[in-house]
Amino acid sequence: MAVEVIFMFAILFGLLAGGLWIGLTLGVTGTILLAIFRDIPLHRLVPQYAWNILTTQELLALPLFILMGELLFRTNLSRSLFTGLAPWAGLLPGRLIHVNVIGCTIFAAISGSSAATTQVVGRIALTELLKRGYSRDIAIGSLAGAGTLGFLIPPSNILIIYGVLADVSIIKLFTAGLIPGLLLAVCFMGWIMIHTTIRKDLVPESERALRNLSWGERFASLKDLAPALFLIACVLRSMYGGIATPSEAAAVGVLGAAVVALVQRSLTWEAARQVAIGSVVTCSMIALILLGASILGSATAFLGIPAKVAAFVQGLGLSPFELMLALVVFYLVLGCFLDGFSMIVMTLPIVLPIIKMAGFDPIWFGVFIVLVVEMAQITPPVGFNLFVIQGITGDSLSYLAKVTLPYLIIMIIFTMTLVVFPDIVMFLPNLMAG
């Protein structure tokens, strides 16, 4: 086993260091392992893997959610969110900083993508906050932290991938991510209120006037939230109401996004071309990574690596809390070099058997792994949310990482809280099963 594991990591990291695409790296590594250690007809096996993984019915939702995100990115939804939320956020300590968190929470329930959530909300909200005189540190940090909610609050692209690879129900994963996602948003808002109460200079004095708005003005602003609420109703209501499967709900979401784009007159022929190209490029990249992950996962299963590694970890005598804390540290380190999507497909074949042996529910672990992947989104040097914000503000990655640190700490504490109280995650799935 030791020789096989050494070979696997040597090939894997050697190809990654050589700059080969992650999907090809995974597939080539698995193929080489099978060629060296097993006498298997690879010319038949590899095409069969490709067909099995790429024709999985549950994956149909993924390109549809990606298409919906591409459509929404080219609408005026970000401005509508800011206009609709600002009068209400003005009632809270921290004022319009909360628009970052609430806006990301709402958009996360539509897009399923962390980077898209950060970019769409930040495009208007960040510019407006800085123009009004809010502290740059807290405006940028809150956006980076809240943008990660795009992976946790359903529908989530990364939960779809996890569900396919771990062979668990995607609708149960979506249900499991709902309460933790909302609670994490509340934790972010709680920190903003505490921070701005202690440091009153973070919010400009002129913004206190927001508290003086009439209730009529506040209720009138809700009409600007109508497009976002319409889309949430299209996707989540159809899915949780038992009307549609996740794939069918994604198709409904695409139709709803197209309606919003047409009503806002943002869907030109050029925009439609960009939507098509962006969707195809993203879907092709994900398909290649999934194919490579399937080949590597099957190769490690043939060689018995996951079971042997799981037995080794069990022999260490770690408590469940210590095991999950070690995994948080492991993924944080891994997140410094890989994007979250690649982290899951590379490690899941090895980590999932260890988790099952330790007695954790695969549905619960889906939420856990998404949380640690969210942390990777805001840790340099490969933090996608940081790159997105850098494109908006032009700030250095070191500065962005510094102002995002409080939100990273909140996420770590929140994740370990879920280890101690797993029913927070499993309450809704168990209720649905019951």
Side-chain angles (χ1 to χ4, degrees):
M1 191 269 287
V3 175
E4 295 159 353
V5 172
I6 291 171
F7 258 84
M8 181 181 71
F9 284 110
I11 297 168
L12 192 62
F13 290 110
L15 292 175
L16 285 174
L20 191 64
W21 292 350
I22 183 70
L24 292 177
T25 295
L26 296 172
V28 169
T29 301
T31 304
I32 292 175
L33 285 175
L34 290 175
I36 294 175
F37 296 104
R38 287 290 185 273
D39 184 17
I40 295 176
L42 294 177
H43 64 287
R44 296 179 181 176
L45 197 65
V46 173
Q48 185 64 49
Y49 285 156
W51 174 260
N52 289 344
I53 191 66
L54 297 181
T55 57
T56 303
Q57 185 176 358
E58 289 78 7
L59 272 183
L60 182 59
L62 190 60
L64 291 172
F65 280 126
I66 290 170
L67 176 59
M68 184 172 70
E70 290 285 341
L71 280 167
L72 293 176
F73 179 69
R74 288 163 177 83
T75 65
N76 297 320
L77 196 64
S78 55
R79 184 169 296 281
S80 299
L81 281 174
F82 187 89
T83 306
L85 292 173
W88 297 92
L91 293 170
L92 300 172
R95 306 292 186 265
L96 299 189
I97 298 294
H98 293 286
V99 172
N100 278 342
V101 180
I102 303 172
C104 286
T105 303
I106 291 175
F107 193 80
I110 303 171
S111 74
S113 166
S114 177
T117 299
T118 304
Q119 191 156 23
V120 168
V121 175
R123 189 168 52 181
I124 297 299
L126 196 56
T127 304
E128 191 67 27
L129 289 173
L130 297 179
K131 185 175 72 175
R132 288 173 177 245
Y134 284 82
S135 165
R136 189 178 191 85
D137 290 4
I138 195 170
I140 292 175
S142 61
L143 175 64
T148 62
L149 295 170
F151 274 161
L152 186 56
I153 295 176
S156 164
N157 291 342
I158 216 156
L159 280 176
I160 294 173
I161 299 301
Y162 174 85
V164 170
L165 294 177
D167 194 23
V168 294
S169 166
I170 291 174
I171 190 70
K172 285 186 178 180
L173 284 170
F174 281 0
T175 306
L178 187 59
I179 290 179
L182 296 176
L183 287 178
L184 184 57
V186 170
C187 290
F188 289 153
M189 293 177 67
W191 165 246
I192 290 169
M193 287 189 277
I194 293 170
H195 197 190
T196 54
T197 300
I198 296 171
R199 291 272 312 278
K200 297 188 182 298
D201 58 300
L202 298 177
V203 177
E205 191 70 24
S206 59
E207 291 296 275
R208 293 195 177 187
L210 290 169
R211 293 182 65 90
N212 300 325
L213 292 175
S214 69
W215 287 101
E217 290 174 298
R218 290 194 177 96
F219 282 109
S221 70
L222 292 178
K223 69 179 185 301
D224 293 304
L225 297 179
L229 297 178
F230 166 70
L231 288 170
I232 291 174
C234 286
V235 177
L236 298 187
R237 182 70 184 92
S238 63
M239 197 160 46
Y240 291 124
I243 302 171
T245 65
S247 300
E248 293 165 345
V252 172
V254 170
L255 180 61
V259 170
V260 170
L262 288 171
V263 169
Q264 294 184 345
R265 301 182 184 277
S266 56
L267 192 58
T268 62
W269 284 111
E270 176 58 25
R273 188 181 73 86
Q274 292 176 358
V275 165
I277 292 174
S279 301
V280 169
V281 169
T282 304
C283 292
S284 300
M285 176 196 70
I286 291 176
L288 183 60
I289 294 176
L290 273 177
L291 174 57
S294 173
I295 295 171
L296 180 59
S298 299
T300 58
F302 266 112
L303 300 175
I305 292 175
K308 293 173 182 175
V309 172
F312 170 76
V313 172
Q314 189 178 36
L316 296 177
L318 297 175
S319 68
F321 186 86
E322 291 170 338
L323 173 62
M324 304 316 291
L325 184 60
L327 282 178
V328 168
V329 174
F330 169 70
Y331 279 109
L332 278 176
V333 173
L334 203 60
C336 294
F337 308 99
L338 294 172
D339 66 276
F341 185 77
S342 301
M343 285 164 54
I344 286 184
V345 298
M346 281 183 62
T347 61
L348 199 60
I350 304 294
V351 173
L352 191 58
I354 298 174
I355 294 303
K356 289 180 177 178
M357 194 172 289
F360 289 99
D361 191 296
I363 298 290
W364 177 90
F365 185 65
V367 173
F368 173 89
I369 201 169
V370 167
L371 280 167
V372 293
V373 164
E374 286 181 343
M375 298 176 201
Q377 293 291 107
I378 52 176
T379 53
V382 188
F384 271 34
N385 281 25
L386 300 185
F387 285 132
V388 169
I389 295 176
Q390 187 181 44
I392 298 173
T393 66
D395 292 312
S396 67
L397 283 178
S398 58
Y399 168 76
L400 296 177
K402 183 188 74 173
V403 299
T404 309
L405 182 60
Y407 302 90
L408 176 62
I409 294 172
I410 289 171
M411 292 172 70
I412 294 173
I413 296 172
F414 182 80
T415 301
M416 298 314 298
T417 302
L418 296 185
V419 176
V420 179
F421 303 104
D423 286 344
I424 295 174
V425 175
M426 297 305 299
F427 172 74
L428 282 182
N430 289 340
L431 186 65
M432 184 175 69

